[in-house]
């Protein structure tokens, strides 16, 4: 069981490195990506400076409109950046689905780990997938692989410098409410 767990971690590291290699080839080395990324970082810094200089937005309606205009430009550029990354995500998704099927057949029915807890019911389908028995603390390949890949890939992106900067990620995105809905 321990050897299987280590093998899954190694497989996860290799697939994450492979995915980042594909992403580098398809996205990170392109001029369009570099231009959009630098533009987003500049816009974010510019927007932060404008927000810092304006103390009370309600008294200065002209500044509020300028800030909203800058935020809209920034959202537009983020949307363009997401579109550039999408082709890479589709290729990686296809490759991961193929690899997942292959690895799933290799580890089918094998317990690869023991969970220190009994998972809640809607997660048990993933943690106990294709395993015989009723011990829901047994861990299947799919659950361990997904957890490892999610955590390892993000850390590899940070190490290689491909993760978004904190300044860019703290600016409102698609799923954050507009400033008018935020409570102070």
């Amino acid at each position: 069981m321990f050897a299987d767990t280590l093998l899954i971690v190694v497989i996860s590291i290799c697939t994450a490195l492979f995915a980042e290699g594909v992403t580098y080839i398809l996205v990170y080395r392109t001029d369009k990506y570099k231009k959009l990324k630098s533009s987003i970082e500049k816009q974010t810094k510019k927007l932060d400076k404008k927000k810092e200089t304006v103390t009370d937005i309600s008294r200065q309606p002209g500044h509020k409109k300028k800030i909203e205009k800058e935020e809209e430009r920034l959202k537009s550029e983020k949307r363009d950046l997401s579109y550039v990354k999408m082709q890479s995500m589709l290729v990686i998704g296809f490759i991961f689905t193929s690899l997942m099927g292959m690895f799933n057949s290799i580890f089918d029915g094998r317990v690869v780990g023991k969970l220190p807890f009994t998972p809640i019911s809607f997660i048990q389908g993933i943690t106990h997938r294709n395993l015989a028995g009723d011990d829901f603390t047994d861990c299947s390949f799919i659950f361990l692989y997904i957890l490892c890949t999610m955590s390892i890939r993000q850390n590899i992106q940070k190490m290689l410098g491909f993760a978004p900067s904190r300044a860019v990620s703290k600016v409102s995105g698609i799923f954050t409410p507009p400033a008018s809905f935020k409570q102070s």
Side-chain angles (χ1 to χ4, degrees):
M1 182 166 49
F2 185 69
D4 288 340
T5 303
L6 285 178
L7 181 60
I8 290 170
V9 171
V10 168
I11 288 171
S12 180
I13 290 170
C14 292
T15 56
L17 285 171
F18 178 73
E20 286 308 306
V22 169
T23 305
Y24 176 78
I25 290 169
L26 295 176
V27 177
Y28 296 140
R29 71 180 185 156
T30 63
D31 292 332
K32 187 173 184 178
Y33 172 81
K34 290 176 184 176
K35 189 173 87 173
L36 278 171
K37 186 176 179 188
S38 67
S39 175
I40 288 173
E41 287 177 357
K42 286 177 188 174
Q43 291 260 179
T44 303
K45 289 177 184 176
K46 187 177 175 182
L47 188 61
D48 285 343
K49 280 184 180 179
K50 281 188 177 185
K51 284 183 178 180
E52 286 175 6
T53 58
V54 177
T55 55
D56 190 11
I57 292 179
S58 61
R59 292 184 190 169
Q60 301 170 352
H63 288 289
K64 183 178 179 181
K65 287 188 179 193
K66 286 180 183 178
I67 289 174
E68 287 175 357
K69 192 174 180 180
E70 290 291 327
E71 285 177 342
E72 286 301 317
R73 256 191 241 144
L74 187 60
K75 284 180 186 178
S76 173
E77 288 190 357
K78 278 186 170 185
R79 203 174 9 254
D80 293 345
L81 187 65
S82 295
Y83 182 74
V84 168
K85 287 182 174 183
M86 191 170 32
Q87 74 183 47
S88 166
M89 286 188 243
L90 290 173
V91 171
I92 290 170
F94 179 74
I95 292 170
F96 272 16
T97 304
S98 303
L99 289 174
M100 188 79 91
M102 182 183 74
F103 293 136
N104 220 2
S105 66
I106 293 170
F107 291 100
D108 191 33
R110 289 168 59 181
V111 176
V112 296
K114 202 79 159 150
L115 299 173
F117 57 91
T118 303
I120 52 180
S121 60
F122 66 89
I123 296 180
Q124 286 177 359
I126 298 173
T127 61
H128 202 71
R129 184 171 187 184
N130 295 336
L131 296 181
D134 293 331
D135 185 7
F136 290 110
T137 59
D138 289 343
C139 182
S140 67
F141 157 77
I142 192 83
F143 182 69
L144 185 61
Y145 177 75
I146 288 171
L147 282 179
C148 289
T149 301
M150 285 180 4
S151 60
I152 290 172
R153 186 155 183 227
Q154 285 185 344
N155 288 319
I156 287 175
Q157 285 176 341
K158 286 180 186 174
M159 286 183 345
L160 297 175
F162 297 140
S165 68
R166 289 184 183 193
V168 171
S169 59
K170 78 177 181 181
V171 174
S172 61
I174 297 172
F175 298 110
T176 54
S180 61
F181 292 114
K182 291 182 183 176
Q183 295 177 356
S184 300

